[in-house]
Amino acid sequence: MGLNRPSGRVAASVLLFLSVFFALPALSLSTPAEEALRNEKRLFSIEVREADMTDVLRALAQQSGLNIILGEGVAGKVSVSFKDIPFRDALEMIIKANGLTYTIQNNVFWVGKKVDFSDEMAIETVRLNYADPATAVPQLKGILSADGVAYSDSRTNSVILRDLPRNIERARVLLKSVDAPSAQVLIEARIVEASSSFTKQLGIQWGGAYNSGSNSVSGSQTLPTSTGDRSFAVNLPAASPTSGIGIIIGSLSSKLTLDIELTAAESKGDLKIVSKPRIATINNKAAKIHSGTTFRVKSSQTTTTGTTTATTTTSTSTGLEEISTGIDLTVTPQISDDGFVLLNISTEKSEADFSRTVDGIPGVTEKSASTYVLVRDGDTVVIGGLYRTVASDSDSSVPYLSEIPVLGPLFFRSDSKELQNEELLVFITPSILKREKTEVSIGNAAR
């Protein structure tokens, strides 16, 4: 049968056999062959071109002192050129490069597309110290065989492996490499809130009385009265006056009396709030800082019942509604090997707006900013731009009369001007904590 083979196939088989035979003596049969193959450390060289896969595998099995079974799917040509490579590595590379698997049972070398590994399957539990087992299990894809499985046990913080011993060993090495303590970052923040306000108001109140026999003219009794106990005809005072003057003018005939009161107010204020929170977090985990006020507002529900002739409205309290306002700062650091820290920063400022309510619940005014910043360890990054300006100019007047030139603005109108400026600045300094200094640094951050 060997005489009918093509000469090229015979030459390749002979070349393969001689290369392996002279490079590596046959394994001693005094110990189990699979153990000898597993522990073999000597190197060998082999080179074949367009050799039949079955011939290559038979030659490898013969050299290793193993019997061989070629299962379904072992076919095709193979070309390899190895120099000074461990025998076991060469064997696995040839088999896996052709989409095959193998096992060694009772000194029998079994190769095929699908091989029964049930007798060789092992179970091992790898306990982790720092890594999350549920996160580590997906990373074993490609390490375990198609029949291998991995389970996470959160109670013991471990990974349970079931596979061939060689695959379990590789999985154990990978798990130990990722089971390392995460680096920590100390986030030092300085939050500066600055605001300034300016208000100016100017108001006028005037009225009087005219008496001539049975005829009289005076201000409306629905308006406040002057110091002379006479009702004003125009009531446009400053809202919160800080200064004022009253004038009473009377005629010689005592028939006409005129009361005038001028009020004015001006206020100016500056406010600056500085807070310095410090918090430590591990790599790629968010650190959150909140500083603010929580309002509890009673909420109610209105129910209307009745018939076509009468209705009844009932208001029922449904509890307290919580409204959280203030400054929220969220920082997620990502440490790089070159001493830089990538910061994912999100900051938000909110405050209750009681001028706009729904069912007694105020609205919330919000300002926010988010960004990614790359900063060197120990440097400071600044977030600004959370700026708010409110300018208002209002007046109250008497219709038509306030439009009279000169006299209208003097006697029939009051003016109010208001200007508010608010600005929020956030300074963030990340510091990578060294492992031997971590405990001290976190303790300082807590004080």
Side-chain angles (χ1 to χ4, degrees):
M1 182 176 180
L3 296 176
N4 295 329
R5 293 178 181 175
S7 58
R9 179 175 177 181
V10 174
S13 300
V14 173
L15 177 60
L16 168 66
F17 180 77
L18 291 177
S19 299
V20 177
F21 182 79
F22 288 109
L24 179 65
L27 300 175
S28 173
L29 297 179
S30 60
T31 59
E34 58 267 28
E35 288 296 328
L37 180 62
R38 185 174 296 111
N39 299 325
E40 180 61 51
K41 300 298 183 183
R42 288 176 293 177
L43 306 178
F44 84 108
S45 301
I46 179 174
E47 182 173 354
V48 296
R49 293 181 295 276
E50 292 296 325
D52 191 83
M53 173 64 71
T54 57
D55 292 338
V56 173
L57 293 178
R58 286 194 187 98
L60 293 174
Q62 182 177 0
Q63 180 61 29
S64 61
L66 298 174
N67 298 315
I68 186 169
I69 296 178
L70 300 178
E72 182 181 357
V74 181
K77 303 290 184 178
V78 61
S79 299
V80 297
S81 178
F82 293 147
K83 183 177 181 181
D84 297 333
I85 186 172
F87 183 79
R88 183 183 180 87
D89 292 347
L91 181 65
E92 292 187 353
M93 290 180 184
I94 293 174
I95 291 175
K96 291 183 178 180
N98 290 272
L100 304 175
T101 59
Y102 79 95
T103 184
I104 302 175
Q105 299 178 8
N106 301 323
N107 291 347
V108 176
F109 186 38
W110 186 1
V111 184
K113 286 287 185 181
K114 186 171 181 60
V115 178
D116 183 10
F117 295 110
S118 57
D119 293 339
E120 292 190 57
M121 286 291 187
I123 298 177
E124 183 172 336
T125 300
V126 180
R127 182 159 295 183
L128 305 178
N129 296 319
Y130 308 101
D132 181 9
T135 305
V137 165
Q139 300 180 32
L140 298 177
K141 185 178 180 181
I143 300 296
L144 302 178
S145 65
D147 298 322
V149 291
Y151 303 98
S152 62
D153 184 5
S154 58
R155 186 180 65 86
T156 60
N157 202 58
S158 58
V159 176
I160 302 173
L161 302 171
R162 181 182 182 274
D163 205 341
L164 298 174
R166 60 178 179 270
N167 294 334
I168 289 181
E169 178 62 26
R170 294 169 182 166
R172 187 192 305 113
V173 172
L174 176 61
L175 290 175
K176 292 303 181 182
S177 66
V178 301
D179 186 30
S182 299
Q184 298 190 77
V185 180
L186 178 65
I187 304 296
E188 298 180 81
R190 290 185 294 277
I191 303 174
V192 180
E193 299 177 76
S195 64
S196 62
S197 61
F198 175 77
T199 303
K200 183 174 70 173
Q201 298 176 340
L202 181 63
I204 185 172
Q205 294 171 290
W206 65 268
Y210 176 77
N211 295 308
S212 177
S214 60
N215 299 320
S216 65
V217 179
S218 64
S220 174
Q221 295 182 355
T222 60
L223 298 179
T225 59
S226 66
T227 54
D229 200 24
R230 285 175 289 273
S231 298
F232 286 120
V234 175
N235 182 46
L236 300 173
S240 300
T242 58
S243 59
I245 185 173
I247 302 174
I248 300 177
I249 302 175
S251 63
L252 295 178
S253 61
S254 300
K255 294 182 179 180
L256 176 63
T257 304
L258 183 63
D259 298 327
I260 299 177
E261 290 188 11
L262 300 177
T263 56
E266 182 174 310
S267 62
K268 182 179 181 181
D270 294 296
L271 175 65
K272 184 177 181 180
I273 302 175
V274 180
S275 55
K276 297 181 179 180
R278 305 172 73 193
I279 187 171
T281 183
I282 63 175
N283 190 29
N284 287 318
K285 294 295 183 180
K288 297 182 179 180
I289 298 172
H290 173 76
S291 176
T293 305
T294 299
F295 296 91
R296 289 178 174 84
V297 183
K298 182 181 293 186
S299 58
S300 60
Q301 182 177 3
T302 303
T303 305
T304 303
T305 59
T307 62
T308 56
T309 58
T311 59
T312 302
T313 302
T314 304
S315 180
T316 305
S317 176
T318 59
L320 295 177
E321 184 81 15
E322 276 195 0
I323 301 176
S324 181
T325 61
I327 298 176
D328 291 280
L329 178 64
T330 303
V331 182
T332 304
Q334 180 179 329
I335 303 173
S336 59
D337 294 334
D338 57 357
F340 281 83
V341 182
L342 177 63
L343 299 177
N344 179 7
I345 305 173
S346 177
T347 180
E348 179 178 331
K349 181 182 179 182
S350 58
E351 56 186 356
D353 186 359
F354 287 93
S355 64
R356 302 174 183 177
T357 61
V358 177
D359 294 335
I361 301 175
V364 178
T365 303
E366 297 178 340
K367 297 185 288 292
S368 62
S370 59
T371 185
Y372 286 87
V373 180
L374 184 64
V375 58
R376 188 183 296 275
D377 177 27
D379 287 354
T380 301
V381 62
V382 182
I383 297 179
L386 299 178
Y387 192 84
R388 179 171 178 256
T389 299
V390 178
S392 63
D393 188 354
S394 60
D395 63 75
S396 300
S397 60
V398 177
Y400 306 113
L401 297 180
S402 62
E403 298 178 5
I404 299 175
V406 182
L407 297 179
L410 289 177
F411 296 100
F412 301 101
R413 182 185 302 170
S414 67
D415 296 321
S416 175
K417 293 183 179 181
E418 184 176 358
L419 179 63
Q420 293 181 349
N421 294 319
E422 298 179 0
E423 186 173 11
L424 175 64
L425 296 175
V426 180
F427 300 81
I428 299 176
T429 303
S431 301
I432 301 175
L433 298 179
K434 308 304 184 219
R435 293 189 60 184
E436 62 273 12
K437 298 181 180 179
T438 296
E439 183 177 353
V440 176
S441 298
I442 294 177
N444 292 336
R447 288 195 288 268

